[in-house]
Amino acid sequence: MLPIDRGTPPDSLASQSPHQTSMPDQNQTSPAERLLPKLRAILGDRGMLTDASDTAPYAEDWRRLYQGKTPAVLRPADTAEVARVVVACAEAGVALVPQGGNTSMVGGATPSPDGRALVLSLSRLNRVRSIDPIDLTVTLEAGVILKAAQNAAAEAGCLLPLSISSEGTAQIGGVLATNAGGNNTVRYGNARDLVLGLEVVLPDGQVWNGLRRLRKDNTGYCLRQLFVGSEGTLGVITAAVLKLVPQPREREVALCTVASVQGALDLYTRFNRSDPAAIQAFEYMSGAGVDFVLRHIPGVSLPFEPASHYVLVELATPRIGAGLRASMEAVLTGAMEEDMVSNAVIAESEAQRANLWKLREEHAEAQKREGASVKNDVSVPVSKVPELLERAQAAAALLMPGMRMVPFGHMGDGNIHLNFEQPEAMDAAVFLAQDHAIMDMVGEIVQSLDGSFSAEHGVGMLKPYMMPSWRGGAELDAMRRIKQALDPRGIMNPGKVLPDAATR
Ligand code: 2HG
Ligand code: ZN
């Protein structure tokens, strides 16, 4: 391992690592505060929030795990303003925390509590720049909400095949910075598989215009893939070109109950043998999670008696006359005849489809309303999902009796949200203090199954401590060198993804 010359950090960052949380001297203004007049000159009053009541929602994460602090939320109106802000911050050595819809599950967009970093909100960069139904591409700015991007694609007769539970709030920049996955990964891959081009403001303020729309472009290192998944630590994504696909002509959604997780896997295999190209989503839900949704989310109903294991499957195709309804019925009838499936319904209308999907998509919100939870966004080879859940259930019972396992998620691609809800009688803070013990218990099983500790939510602020044991050695070393090369002053989203330099 070669030593890395880290250079001299700027004054504001020299004496303190991003993980330290001591507060600046009350009587002294911080470098970030001193920079505010200059930033106001760039952004104008509309482009900056400084009142504590206005900045507070940007300083806390969706799960309320992290309460940060910031002197200002910067709201540039376009890429040029983002670049000018980054130049000013780079010169002053002031850290920036890029933020989109603030839906991170791992504290990836929350500033630290020391108040030294400024939040850079991309919300005002919200234009759909162009859509091309022939090239099947859409060019979007970072602040476009994912749902709005899907709608724009649909109006042009296309499908943007990226669907996540938070799509009504999550923004394109954050979706790409975290390489979000979601419900359609089984068919179309993750966010990175849909990116053709990017526009990025680098940590020194240079704008890289890589908004190319090419399906083939072998011209050196693939920079766009470096920024996708970098969680704002290497630069600020300001716009992107995404792939579209033809809009489906037929779509069928079914909910069914199976006897076990193995039964869910067997059903997946059956759909795969029938028509693999038609599987748009294959989601698993446990009885516990569905129960939370029914109790906490108004207007959602279950079309049959509650069960312990559910599968939500969506088939879709742009082919004319594909007969998806018949093939859905054939697979489900065959599975029922062999007692693989006990109950099944196929949605008859858009409203019914939406109700079935709500049962699944409201899991995160319902779990939040139920109480404190420790989330494990893990992935394993699809064939190992039953073993994962079985072993985790046994280990959890030993670790903390009464803790409720709430596994759900994207079974078709092996990504399970192996979440644990606090025991009913336990204090939330006492439970959350055990988060590392719970995450490590799951991690040990996942590692033995050749899985990953972060499938689609990223590393953020929650999981950098896991990086050395999962990605240590040459991999983490290369990541640190890339960070050092692009962001030598460490101003981009400090404290996220990479653990402190001292941690090997
Ligand atoms: C989902 O699939 C999201 O609904 C959230 O990724 C998962 O709450 C979670 O753990
Ligand atoms: Zn998910």
Side-chain angles (χ1 to χ4, degrees):
M1 203 152 53
L2 290 170
I4 299 171
D5 176 9
R6 301 201 152 263
T8 311
D11 287 350
S12 60
L13 302 174
S15 57
Q16 188 165 21
S17 89
H19 295 284
Q20 287 173 291
T21 54
S22 67
M23 311 299 279
D25 186 333
Q26 294 297 315
N27 300 319
Q28 281 178 2
T29 53
S30 67
E33 285 165 322
R34 288 200 291 279
L35 194 61
L36 295 187
K38 188 169 183 180
L39 294 170
R40 197 176 287 279
I42 296 171
L43 298 171
D45 287 343
R46 209 179 147 213
M48 229 162 112
L49 305 174
T50 47
D51 277 3
S53 58
D54 293 333
T55 59
Y58 297 82
E60 187 178 49
D61 68 313
W62 181 83
R63 295 177 63 191
R64 304 214 177 101
L65 292 182
Y66 299 100
Q67 277 75 41
K69 217 175 145 204
T70 184
V73 175
L74 312 177
R75 303 175 65 245
D78 55 28
T79 304
E81 283 190 4
V82 175
R84 291 177 69 195
V85 162
V86 173
V87 168
C89 289
E91 282 170 4
V94 168
L96 283 166
V97 178
Q99 193 178 98
N102 200 11
T103 58
S104 175
M105 295 283 178
V106 289
T110 308
S112 55
D114 59 21
R116 285 165 187 266
L118 299 169
V119 172
L120 179 61
S121 166
L122 280 304
S123 305
R124 288 177 71 207
L125 278 74
N126 60 1
R127 285 159 288 242
V128 176
R129 290 192 189 165
S130 63
I131 294 197
D132 193 323
I134 306 292
D135 290 338
L136 285 166
T137 58
V138 58
T139 306
L140 302 149
E141 295 184 351
V144 175
I145 289 173
L146 177 53
K147 186 79 197 162
Q150 292 168 351
N151 291 343
E155 275 164 31
C158 305
L159 176 75
L160 173 58
L162 187 65
S163 170
I164 59 179
S165 299
S166 56
E167 62 199 20
T169 312
Q171 297 174 7
I172 293 299
V175 162
L176 297 179
T178 57
N179 184 28
N183 306 330
N184 301 149
T185 298
V186 62
R187 179 146 173 188
Y188 303 100
N190 297 304
R192 74 164 72 256
D193 299 298
L194 299 171
V195 180
L196 290 176
L198 280 189
E199 178 187 84
V200 178
V201 176
L202 303 178
D204 62 2
Q206 285 189 81
V207 180
W208 170 50
N209 183 345
L211 289 174
R212 297 188 276 266
R213 297 186 291 153
L214 306 171
R215 305 278 165 162
K216 287 188 169 177
D217 177 27
N218 273 351
T219 49
Y221 303 139
C222 186
L223 280 191
R224 70 179 186 280
Q225 295 298 1
L226 189 57
F227 293 103
V228 176
S230 67
E231 302 185 37
T233 62
L234 298 179
V236 186
I237 295 174
T238 48
V241 182
L242 301 184
K243 288 182 206 168
L244 302 174
V245 298
Q247 220 164 33
R249 288 195 167 84
E250 292 180 28
R251 186 175 165 221
E252 299 292 343
V253 177
L255 178 74
C256 49
T257 58
V258 287
S260 61
V261 186
Q262 182 62 45
L265 180 64
D266 293 344
L267 186 61
Y268 176 62
T269 308
R270 223 165 229 266
F271 273 106
N272 244 323
R273 291 202 177 127
S274 158
D275 187 357
I279 302 176
Q280 187 87 344
F282 192 93
E283 299 281 313
Y284 169 80
M285 295 176 283
S286 72
V290 169
D291 175 52
F292 288 178
V293 174
L294 295 172
R295 284 198 284 113
H296 295 294
I297 309 293
V300 191
S301 56
L302 195 59
F304 34 58
E305 286 299 302
S308 300
H309 307 277
Y310 300 84
V311 164
L312 180 70
V313 57
E314 175 166 323
L315 305 180
T317 180
R319 279 183 292 139
I320 299 169
L324 276 196
R325 178 76 183 202
S327 68
M328 176 75 98
E329 281 172 1
V331 172
L332 291 177
T333 308
M336 285 176 107
E337 280 165 8
E338 290 177 28
D339 290 333
M340 189 184 282
V341 164
S342 38
N343 274 310
V345 293
I346 304 176
E348 299 284 355
S349 64
E350 194 49 49
Q352 286 183 6
R353 279 199 277 260
N355 179 56
L356 294 185
W357 264 111
K358 221 169 166 195
L359 270 168
R360 165 62 191 84
E361 293 199 316
E362 292 290 352
H363 265 60
E365 183 60 36
Q367 238 200 309
K368 188 171 164 181
R369 293 187 193 178
E370 176 74 11
S373 59
V374 171
K375 291 182 187 287
N376 297 281
D377 165 42
V378 298
S379 60
V380 293
V382 183
S383 59
K384 301 287 182 198
V385 170
E387 183 181 343
L388 168 70
L389 267 55
E390 198 177 312
R391 284 172 62 185
Q393 180 75 79
L398 288 179
L399 184 72
M400 193 188 293
M403 179 166 74
R404 293 166 288 167
M405 188 164 104
V406 191
F408 62 93
H410 318 295
M411 179 147 191
D413 62 50
N415 170 200
I416 296 293
H417 301 302
L418 220 177
N419 299 347
F420 288 93
E421 196 77 19
Q422 64 175 91
E424 265 160 311
M426 190 180 271
D427 177 71
V430 172
F431 173 67
L432 288 176
Q434 296 298 311
D435 64 344
H436 281 201
I438 298 167
M439 284 155 65
D440 293 346
M441 173 267 287
V442 172
E444 208 171 294
I445 301 167
V446 171
Q447 211 152 26
S448 75
L449 296 174
D450 294 329
S452 171
F453 69 101
S454 175
E456 61 170 8
H457 294 171
V459 178
M461 208 175 339
L462 184 65
K463 298 184 175 177
Y465 87 96
M466 298 171 103
M467 290 291 273
S469 56
W470 288 79
R471 299 288 177 258
E475 195 168 352
L476 186 52
D477 197 43
M479 288 191 207
R480 289 191 202 278
R481 284 157 188 267
I482 291 168
K483 171 75 175 170
Q484 171 68 15
L486 285 180
D487 182 20
R489 308 192 93 194
I491 65 163
M492 293 307 311
N493 212 6
K496 315 292 165 36
V497 182
L498 299 177
D500 284 344
T503 323
R504 287 282 159 186

